Amino acid sequence: MKLYLNNREQENCARKERNCPKPPVPPHLRKNLLDIELDTLDMELLQKIFGDEDTTAAAVHIIKEAPPEIQIIILQLMVILGKEA
């Protein structure tokens, strides 16, 4: 599994000015902060958890559309369950 942070705007701002103000991220943009890439092992783990391919596909869609806080919790649970399996 790979986790990408989408903070390019803040990086560009930091390059231009050292003391760049960082306003809070509005709620409608928060889900664009993280991008999760699930590999085959993650998909196999989710398949074991949910039982069939349709439910797994729905779960992956929900995970990718969830707020970043929820995505991080889900990824931590997947790591824990992956170690037990």
Side-chain angles (χ1 to χ4, degrees):
M1 118 183 35
K2 293 182 182 178
L3 181 66
Y4 298 102
L5 298 175
N6 296 329
N7 58 358
R8 292 183 187 134
E9 292 177 13
Q10 290 180 355
E11 289 176 5
N12 291 336
C13 186
R15 289 181 191 151
K16 292 177 184 174
E17 299 177 24
R18 220 40 198 151
N19 298 322
C20 189
K22 295 180 182 176
V25 179
H28 68 281
L29 295 177
R30 285 188 189 148
K31 68 174 145 182
N32 296 333
L33 290 175
L34 295 178
D35 187 24
I36 299 173
E37 238 181 65
L38 300 174
D39 58 10
T40 56
L41 294 175
D42 298 325
M43 294 303 287
E44 289 174 5
L45 176 64
L46 289 174
Q47 182 109 17
K48 285 181 186 177
I49 293 170
F50 292 109
D52 62 16
E53 291 181 11
D54 293 334
T55 310
T56 302
V60 169
H61 177 72
I62 291 170
I63 290 169
K64 290 188 177 197
E65 294 295 319
E69 300 87 5
I70 303 301
Q71 290 179 354
I72 291 171
I73 291 171
I74 292 170
L75 293 178
Q76 289 174 344
L77 287 172
M78 288 176 63
V79 168
I80 292 169
L81 291 173
K83 288 180 182 177
E84 291 179 3

